[in-house]
């Protein structure tokens, strides 16, 4: 999976199509990600010591990684991503459309 936490992505299918936001969590074994402000669900919470009132909480749910593409701020477009090895032997993620390096993203 070439998407990492902190990457900026654009949703390309589904109810939230066209939304540009950042990735907050990645689940590579499931091929799913959580994107900030996308796929919002309401979940009922039982009262607990931490939350004595309980109630309904709105939160983001997982979406499939195939429903998003990495967003290039400089080119203002989405692009596929390739991996290039530089002269020092380090791997870098690069947008295929523009050739710019993907900034951000934590391992």
């Amino acid at each position: 999976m070439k998407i990492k936490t902190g990457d900026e992505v654009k949703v390309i299918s589904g109810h939230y199509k066209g939304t540009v936001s950042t990735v907050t969590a990645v689940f590579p074994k499931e091929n799913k990600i959580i994107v900030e402000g996308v796929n919002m669900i309401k979940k009922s919470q039982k009262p607990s010591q931490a939350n004595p009132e309980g109630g309904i909480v709105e939160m983001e749910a997982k979406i499939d990684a195939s429903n998003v593409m990495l967003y290039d701020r400089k080119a203002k477009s989405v692009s596929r991503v390739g991996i290039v090895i530089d002269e020092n032997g380090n791997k870098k993620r690069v947008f295929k459309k523009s050739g710019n390096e993907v900034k951000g993203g934590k391992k």
Side-chain angles (χ1 to χ4, degrees):
M1 180 182 291
K2 295 178 182 174
I3 298 173
K4 301 196 182 307
T5 304
D7 283 343
E8 196 160 20
V9 295
K10 184 173 185 177
V11 181
I12 57 171
S13 67
H15 182 71
Y16 292 89
K17 184 176 182 176
T19 306
V20 177
S21 191
T22 57
V23 177
T24 57
V26 178
F27 305 93
K29 288 184 180 177
E30 302 172 37
N31 197 38
K32 293 190 182 278
I33 60 174
I34 294 179
V35 181
E36 190 176 316
V38 174
N39 199 18
M40 299 300 286
I41 60 168
K42 292 186 183 207
K43 187 170 181 176
S44 298
Q45 295 281 314
K46 278 188 169 180
S48 64
Q49 280 188 323
N51 185 10
E53 293 294 314
I56 299 172
V57 178
E58 197 165 354
M59 59 188 288
E60 293 110 356
K62 298 176 188 177
I63 62 171
D64 201 84
S66 65
N67 293 338
V68 299
M69 286 185 81
L70 281 170
Y71 185 74
D72 187 1
R73 271 278 178 211
K74 291 180 185 173
K76 293 187 172 35
S77 66
V78 294
S79 177
R80 288 183 290 155
V81 177
I83 295 176
V84 176
I85 299 174
D86 64 1
E87 59 275 351
N88 298 332
N90 299 327
K91 290 182 180 180
K92 291 199 276 186
R93 295 181 300 154
V94 183
F95 291 109
K96 293 217 176 196
K97 202 179 271 188
S98 65
N100 298 332
E101 184 180 348
V102 178
K103 297 291 182 192
K106 303 167 194 114
K107 282 196 169 182

